[in-house]
């Protein structure tokens, strides 16, 4: 591989996370309705089987009021930013073994980014 090819490949690898960060909130809302809405509410203070996800972006894990979290989430102290939400949505069990999330994960990276874009609006 030439030096120029190496530079181009490196630039593409570095740009990949920035590209993935582009999500469509409207598509994310539709996914939320079909994949998340049974257990989570987008409304503030409305916990279902899972906690309300209103205001989730930027807060620490296990911080939704009036919801009892698993020990795994209570001890995690994760900030729900793009990187951690992407890992969580890809596989909650892989990110935090022992959590109570029943959702196995979303394999499609663009779908995860769309969900994250929607969560940012809540």
């Amino acid at each position: 591989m030439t030096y120029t090819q190496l530079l181009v490949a490196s630039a593409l690898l570095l740009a990949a996370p920035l590209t993935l960060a582009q999500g469509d909130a409207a598509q994310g809302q539709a996914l939320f309705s079909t994949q998340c809405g049974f257990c989570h509410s987008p409304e503030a203070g409305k916990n279902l089987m899972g906690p309300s996800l209103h205001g989730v972006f930027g807060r620490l894990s296990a911080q939704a009021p009036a919801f009892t979290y698993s020990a795994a989430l209570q001890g995690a102290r994760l900030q729900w930013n793009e990187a951690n939400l992407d890992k969580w949505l890809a596989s909650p069990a892989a990110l935090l073994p022992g959590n109570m999330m029943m959702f196995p994960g979303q394999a499609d990276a663009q779908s995860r980014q769309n969900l994250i874009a929607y969560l940012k609006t809540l």
Side-chain angles (χ1 to χ4, degrees):
M1 182 176 273
T2 69
Y3 180 73
T4 303
Q5 290 171 322
L6 184 60
L7 283 176
V8 170
S10 297
L12 289 173
L13 285 174
L14 290 173
L18 298 175
T19 302
L20 286 177
Q22 301 301 315
D24 183 305
Q27 289 182 19
Q29 183 176 17
L31 283 170
F32 185 92
S33 297
T34 60
Q35 295 183 6
C36 313
F38 182 75
C39 295
H40 296 279
S41 171
E43 297 175 39
K46 184 177 179 182
N47 296 321
L48 302 174
M49 186 182 305
S52 165
L53 295 181
H54 185 271
V56 70
F57 191 83
R59 77 177 176 218
L60 292 177
S61 58
Q63 298 299 309
F67 188 81
T68 304
Y69 288 91
S70 65
L73 269 166
Q74 288 177 15
R77 305 283 300 158
L78 289 175
Q79 182 181 27
W80 292 126
N81 56 31
E82 287 182 10
N84 286 331
L85 281 168
D86 186 61
K87 292 174 195 171
W88 177 259
L89 292 170
S91 177
L95 181 61
L96 288 174
N99 76 75
M100 302 300 288
M101 181 89 149
M102 294 168 42
F103 178 67
Q106 170 56 259
D108 181 64
Q110 187 60 55
S111 293
R112 292 193 308 269
Q113 293 307 307
N114 292 341
L115 283 167
I116 293 166
Y118 173 62
L119 292 174
K120 286 180 178 182
T121 69
L122 303 180

